[in-house]
Amino acid sequence: MGNKERKSRRKVFRLWFSKRRSRADASHLSEISDDDGQDDECMNGLSVRSLDRGPCILNNELRIFVGTWNVAGRSPVGSLAVDLDEWLNLKEAADIYVLGFQEIVPLKPKTVIGAEDPTEATNWNVLIGKTLNSKYGGAWLTPMVNPITNDDYRYYQAAESNTRLRSDYEIVSARGQSRTEYKISDCVGSYKLMASKKMVGVFISVWMRRTLLKKYCVSEVKVSSVACGIMGYLGNKGSVSVSMSIGGTSFCFVAAHLASGEKKGDEGKRNRQVTEIFRRTSFPRPSEDCHKNHPLSILGHDQIFWFGDLNYRLYLEDNLARELIKKKNWSALQEFDQLGKELEDGGVFQGWQEGDIEFAPTYKYSSSNCNRYSGGLPSRAGEKQRTPAWCDRILWHGKGVKQLSYFRSESKFSDHRPVSALFSVIVEDQKCAHSSLVPFPPFSPLHNS
């Protein structure tokens, strides 16, 4: 086939697609990238390879910010916004923010055994939303109630008009019995709350740039929680997880709080809890779900991030640890790190990765508003003697993940320092399939009410 004939066929095909696209429902348009260059590339590929009927796969890079913070049972207050801004490192904005918290409520019998109270989770989401979106101006999503009430829910993307966002999003249980609605506004912020889940004091909150919802098909947003604390089933320790697919890539984010203790053998308790979380975390599919390939377990996902107060300590006497900390000899200190040894020996997280730690241990500080580690000499009356350790960690697993930075922030809000990592990830975007030139959303869009 000559070049002129190829160009002619290409032109006809593009005109046909343009007409079909203009007739498509607005909800379908919201699933198509507004990047003309990418659409052209995809269409060119289809017109040339029309006989092989294969998908047009585009690999795209996203930046994901993952953070973890044990807030020691303290409620978020207005003055915390400055600390949050520093933690989220807004000078280098990411496409997705995944934030894990531990002890957002005090771990007392009432909170551990009693019914879940959504108040603190909602307060944290409000503050996170303000912090992320105030940088970019405009109104932002304000949750009216606790974002998640079920362990299995679906994310529905609404159609957007040129004048306003008619409706934002809702969360529906697998049986369709409960619904959580959010306030809407004519001018919404740059970041949207995609999912959050609370179990006693463990809490996860996932935010995404709104522009990504136009560029990618975001589907199968699900949550799961595993309690493995007191007696092996109470929620003072355990994990909350979020699973989702972005384009053709599946993601799993696991926020965990593992067993405390620095006695010999305590690391074994933490290892067992990690095993339990892997074993018991599940993202079941409803029987009517047509997305049969979405992973059911943590390890079934393409890219996985595990973070939290993992509580692994140092195999080192307190005075020797403090001496190395004073010298800022982080490489020498890492030789005695329990989690590093477990990773090296394959005790847990076999095949997982963690970046080089080039910051001081994040636990345990004497009190809030203090830069001094608890205990040590001279000791203070009533103060707990604790060997400083890197309790707050971020690990990852999967192809196409590159860590760009790994750091701690200096908020004195609690006895832990926040820890964060910025990642570059590759997302496989299957935009064009032979069966349909206009990609359909994974679920029916919301109808305007």
Side-chain angles (χ1 to χ4, degrees), residues 358-424:
E358 297 180 350
F359 50 83
T362 54
Y363 175 85
K364 167 181 173 59
Y365 284 88
S366 180
S367 63
S368 61
N369 238 2
C370 183
N371 267 331
R372 187 179 62 82
Y373 289 109
S374 180
L377 296 174
S379 60
R380 296 187 180 181
E383 189 173 77
K384 292 182 178 179
Q385 179 70 36
R386 292 288 184 269
T387 302
W390 288 297
C391 291
D392 310 280
R393 311 289 278 269
I394 300 172
L395 311 175
W396 78 91
H397 185 276
K399 296 180 179 179
V401 181
K402 179 183 179 182
Q403 189 179 72
L404 304 177
S405 62
Y406 194 22
F407 59 96
R408 64 170 246 174
S409 300
E410 298 308 321
S411 169
K412 301 180 183 66
F413 186 70
S414 82
D415 57 352
H416 287 250
R417 294 295 183 261
V419 171
S420 313
L422 184 64
F423 295 93
S424 167

Side-chain angles (χ1 to χ4, degrees), residues 61-66 85-97 132 135-136 191 209 402-407 420-424:
E61 184 179 358
L62 296 180
R63 292 158 73 88
I64 299 180
F65 178 102
V66 178
D85 187 283
E86 190 260 342
W87 180 40
L88 300 182
N89 194 26
L90 294 182
K91 294 178 182 178
E92 199 173 1
D95 298 301
I96 301 170
Y97 284 84
L132 285 177
K135 182 178 176 68
Y136 302 98
Y191 288 92
R209 281 190 193 273
K402 179 183 179 182
Q403 189 179 72
L404 304 177
S405 62
Y406 194 22
F407 59 96
S420 313
L422 184 64
F423 295 93
S424 167

Side-chain angles (χ1 to χ4, degrees), residues 247-363:
T249 303
S250 59
F251 290 84
C252 186
F253 305 106
V254 183
H257 191 186
L258 303 183
S260 60
E262 57 182 16
K263 299 190 303 294
K264 185 177 181 179
D266 283 342
E267 68 276 14
K269 293 189 295 184
R270 294 184 270 274
N271 290 354
R272 288 189 290 274
Q273 288 180 347
V274 170
T275 301
E276 279 295 290
I277 291 169
F278 275 122
R279 185 178 69 84
R280 291 164 51 193
T281 299
S282 63
F283 305 99
R285 291 187 293 258
S287 57
E288 72 275 11
D289 198 338
C290 61
H291 287 254
K292 302 299 183 184
N293 294 327
H294 191 80
L296 302 176
S297 64
I298 292 174
L299 290 174
H301 291 76
D302 298 316
Q303 298 180 359
I304 315 165
F305 300 86
W306 185 305
F307 46 99
D309 180 1
L310 307 189
N311 256 319
Y312 286 93
R313 307 301 174 91
L314 296 174
Y315 292 116
L316 192 62
E317 292 181 8
D318 181 69
N319 61 327
L320 296 177
R322 291 172 189 265
E323 187 177 330
L324 290 175
I325 292 169
K326 285 181 181 178
K327 295 177 179 178
K328 297 184 179 182
N329 194 340
W330 312 133
S331 58
L333 200 61
Q334 284 184 70
E335 295 295 321
F336 303 95
D337 175 57
Q338 287 182 352
L339 181 54
K341 182 173 176 53
E342 295 297 328
L343 286 167
E344 186 179 336
D345 296 344
V348 287
F349 297 112
Q350 191 168 6
W352 287 62
Q353 298 183 65
E354 182 184 27
D356 289 334
I357 301 176
E358 297 180 350
F359 50 83
T362 54
Y363 175 85

Side-chain angles (χ1 to χ4, degrees), residues 161-173:
S161 70
N162 293 329
T163 56
R164 63 170 288 164
L165 185 69
R166 294 197 186 105
S167 72
D168 214 80
Y169 76 85
E170 65 180 0
I171 294 165
V172 183
S173 70

Side-chain angles (χ1 to χ4, degrees), residues 207-270:
W207 297 73
M208 183 181 291
R209 281 190 193 273
R210 288 180 177 273
T211 52
L212 295 184
L213 298 174
K214 294 180 179 181
K215 184 175 181 180
Y216 297 100
C217 173
V218 180
S219 63
E220 295 300 303
V221 184
K222 298 181 179 182
V223 296
S224 178
S225 59
V226 172
C228 52
I230 300 170
M231 295 182 289
Y233 67 87
L234 291 186
N236 62 306
K237 294 293 187 290
S239 68
V240 289
S241 306
V242 171
S243 169
M244 66 170 63
S245 288
I246 303 174
T249 303
S250 59
F251 290 84
C252 186
F253 305 106
V254 183
H257 191 186
L258 303 183
S260 60
E262 57 182 16
K263 299 190 303 294
K264 185 177 181 179
D266 283 342
E267 68 276 14
K269 293 189 295 184
R270 294 184 270 274

